[in-house]
């Protein structure tokens, strides 16, 4: 996930997350349809491809990640406006400091990422 985010600089990176219960079991790096340093959109075909792969393995596509190239590891107002399912896991990867920082958000609050 971090390598994908670094490779996308200076733009935001994004991708999908497959879950088995509450555990992330697969990361699907995708393109960013917005090609922007301040927003992201997972391309619909890549979203669909991740869904098909996850379901074929008995997993649930239940999360998304994206990077903040120069911002904090927190859900921005723009990010919160894009939330369509609060039960999904949303991971923000901040690349603003010397080391990447990851923060998860689910059901209206932060969740630990380990």
């Amino acid at each position: 996930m971090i390598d994908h985010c670094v490779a996308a600089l200076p733009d935001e990176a994004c991708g999908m997350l497959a879950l088995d219960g509450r555990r992330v079991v697969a990361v699907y790096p995708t393109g960013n349809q917005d090609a922007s340093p301040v927003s992201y959109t997972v391309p619909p075909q890549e979203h669909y491809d991740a869904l098909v792969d996850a379901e074929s393995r008995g997993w649930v596509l239940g999360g998304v990640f994206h990077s903040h190239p120069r911002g904090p590891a927190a859900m921005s107002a723009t990010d919160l406006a894009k939330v369509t399912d609060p039960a999904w896991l949303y991971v923000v990867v901040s690349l603003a400091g010397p080391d990447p920082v990851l923060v998860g958000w689910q059901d209206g609050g932060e969740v630990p990422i380990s």
Side-chain angles (χ1 to χ4, degrees):
M1 188 182 320
I2 293 170
D3 289 344
H4 178 63
C5 292
V6 169
L9 288 170
D11 291 334
E12 286 193 6
C14 55
M16 307 302 300
L17 303 171
L19 303 161
D20 186 6
R22 293 188 62 86
R23 187 172 63 93
V24 174
V25 292
V27 174
Y28 299 97
T30 69
N32 178 356
Q33 189 169 292
D34 296 351
S36 166
V38 295
S39 69
Y40 75 95
T41 300
V42 173
Q45 184 62 51
E46 293 181 65
H47 184 151
Y48 178 76
D49 292 345
L51 175 68
V52 169
D53 184 74
E55 288 183 350
S56 75
R57 299 168 189 270
W59 304 329
V60 173
L61 197 65
V64 65
F65 73 90
H66 76 282
S67 62
H68 285 175
R70 293 181 294 272
M75 293 285 282
S76 68
T78 301
D79 298 335
L80 291 170
K82 287 186 172 188
V83 170
T84 56
D85 186 345
W88 268 40
L89 174 63
Y90 295 83
V91 175
V92 178
V93 180
S94 173
L95 301 174
D99 296 313
V101 176
L102 284 75
V103 171
W105 186 89
Q106 189 173 38
D107 293 326
E110 286 189 15
V111 295
I113 300 294
S114 57

